[in-house]
Amino acid sequence: MNSETTEEKAVTKSIKVAVLPGDGIGPEVMAQAIEVLNAACQGIDLQFTERLVGGAAIDATGKALPEETLETCSASDAILFGSVGGPKWESLPPNEQPERAALLPLRKHFSLFANLRPAICFPELTAASPLRPDIVAGGFDILCIRELTGGLYFGKPKETREEKGEKVAIDTMVYRASEIERIARLAFEIAGARKRQLTSVDKMNVLENGLLWRSVVKQLAGSYPDVELSHLLVDNAAMQFIRNPRAFDVVVTENTFGDILSDELAMLTGSIGMLPSASLGTGQRGPYRFGLYEPSGGSAPDIAGKGIANPIAQILSAAMMLQYSFGLDAIAKNIDAAVRKTIAAGYRTRDIDSPDCKLVGTAEMGAAIRENLS
Ligand code: IPM
Ligand code: MG
């Protein structure tokens, strides 16, 4: 099916989006994303239902992920997520903290197994990267695909127990071949639509999990002959990204490695306020694929409420939602292009500011992006 037919199909029905702004800068940047969506999606029946999550939900209901929020998410075609957490809730027991008590259960509940984290260093923003100018000249565009519902995060047993008079902590790394296969398949497919270059990252020199990971990925490669597959051990990958980020296109890896490497890649772009993410599920709802879309950057409590946060990560997350959940590729591209135009025109929020550019706040950045929509 080409994207035009998908688009036609998608516009025939109303689309329900659960909007969870959360804490810190979440509500401010979310407001801009919704305005951009409304401006870009004219003629499409997008219905937003806003619900509490994270610290805001703890304050109001005592729970980071209230029943009502989960019900709205279940009744929606996708979740647009802001960010959760902040100093106010840091002294709660670990299992009640906004991040662990809201994000992880959402991932598990909706089987959001595939986490797509683009690390894009825009050519105009290479100066923000901590890497040497000659290493990042022209920018780079890496898509990190992280497995999100397996491995150490969810494996059982997971506990701290008492043994011979001392505490012993146990986390268990478990992957079934089928879990590796579904994330690898998605990675091959996405790589096939990009530069056809896939790097799989594992730790096969030490971990049983690494051996299985590599063998499953290798076996799949035969079904995707046009994608060039390479393998890196995770420690080496961490070095190679810094040595030459432009050599990478799509990277696929397991949950914990993906958590760490995606932060490294985000830092290499120099502008975490620019980076969106998508967490895709197995579920297909009619023409739509369920997913959760959120900025990579977090709640940034230090600048919350000041109107200075960069809304681009949230706006690009909304664009990813249009693309991956609703098949509205043309509108997603329009938003993407509007962001690039706005950056090229010199608009900068404080986090990406440089001399001779136009320093703007959250709302002004959102407005400029809306004006640049075609
Ligand atoms: C992320 C975050 C989460 C994770 C935390 C907040 C539980 O670091 O989305 O990368 O470790 O997955
Ligand atoms: Mg992380």
Side-chain angles (χ1 to χ4, degrees), residues 41 54 73 97 117 120 129 136 138 144 167 191 199 201 204 208 213 221 240 252 275 300 307 324 362:
C41 297
C73 293
Q97 292 198 4
R117 297 187 166 182
I120 300 176
S129 171
V136 288
C144 180
K167 281 187 172 165
T199 308
V201 174
M204 63 88 82
E208 288 298 314
W213 182 278
Q240 299 307 325
V252 64
L275 304 181
Y324 287 99
T362 312

Side-chain angles (χ1 to χ4, degrees), residues 117 146 153 259-260 262-263:
R117 297 187 166 182
R146 166 190 177 192
Y153 275 62
D259 179 41
I260 299 165
S262 63
D263 266 25

Side-chain angles (χ1 to χ4, degrees), residues 57-295:
I58 294 176
D59 290 350
T61 72
K63 282 170 86 177
L65 183 61
E67 213 43 55
E68 189 196 31
T69 300
L70 197 58
E71 276 164 21
T72 298
C73 293
S74 297
S76 300
D77 299 308
I79 305 170
L80 192 56
F81 194 93
S83 49
V84 293
K88 187 172 176 197
W89 307 281
E90 267 164 18
S91 49
L92 290 173
N95 281 332
E96 289 170 34
Q97 292 198 4
E99 293 89 338
R100 259 173 90 167
L103 257 186
L104 297 188
L106 274 173
R107 288 174 184 170
K108 201 64 184 174
H109 184 86
F110 292 106
S111 304
L112 303 173
F113 72 96
N115 186 210
L116 276 44
R117 297 187 166 182
I120 300 176
C121 182
F122 289 80
E124 295 89 351
L125 298 178
T126 50
S129 171
L131 293 180
R132 246 180 20 227
D134 61 302
I135 297 178
V136 288
F140 58 84
D141 179 351
I142 302 173
L143 178 63
C144 180
I145 302 183
R146 166 190 177 192
E147 202 292 327
L148 203 58
T149 48
L152 281 169
Y153 275 62
F154 296 99
K156 298 270 165 56
K158 187 176 193 62
E159 63 188 17
T160 305
R161 60 183 182 225
E162 198 78 21
E163 259 176 37
K164 294 184 186 142
E166 67 175 340
K167 281 187 172 165
V168 181
I170 299 173
D171 295 282
T172 308
M173 186 168 186
V174 191
Y175 270 105
R176 308 183 68 81
S178 54
E179 289 177 285
I180 301 170
E181 189 182 323
R182 70 179 175 181
I183 189 77
R185 222 173 248 296
L186 184 75
F188 274 110
E189 272 157 24
I190 290 175
R194 290 174 48 119
K195 290 191 201 146
R196 295 196 284 277
Q197 193 196 323
L198 177 63
T199 308
S200 170
V201 174
D202 60 45
K203 187 71 183 167
M204 63 88 82
N205 54 349
V206 177
L207 302 177
E208 288 298 314
N209 271 273
L211 284 167
L212 184 62
W213 182 278
R214 194 169 289 209
S215 79
V216 171
V217 174
K218 257 191 187 157
Q219 225 168 27
L220 264 186
S223 311
Y224 300 90
D226 55 334
V227 175
E228 187 193 320
L229 172 69
S230 55
H231 304 272
L232 280 180
L233 295 172
V234 61
D235 44 354
N236 188 18
M239 292 198 295
Q240 299 307 325
F241 290 164
I242 292 176
R243 196 179 65 87
N244 187 11
R246 288 176 304 192
F248 294 90
D249 185 34
V250 180
V251 175
V252 64
T253 191
E254 65 87 40
N255 202 345
T256 307
F257 298 162
D259 179 41
I260 299 165
L261 292 178
S262 63
D263 266 25
E264 180 189 351
L265 290 170
M267 191 66 234
L268 297 186
T269 71
S271 41
I272 184 118
M274 306 276 299
L275 304 181
S277 80
S279 302
L280 304 179
T282 47
Q284 192 74 20
R285 305 183 175 196
Y288 309 133
R289 173 179 208 160
F290 193 78
L292 178 151
Y293 300 84
E294 60 172 326

Side-chain angles (χ1 to χ4, degrees), residues 7 31-32 35 50 113 178 373:
E7 230 152 272
Q32 295 308 315
E35 286 208 40
E50 192 173 317
F113 72 96
S178 54
L373 289 167

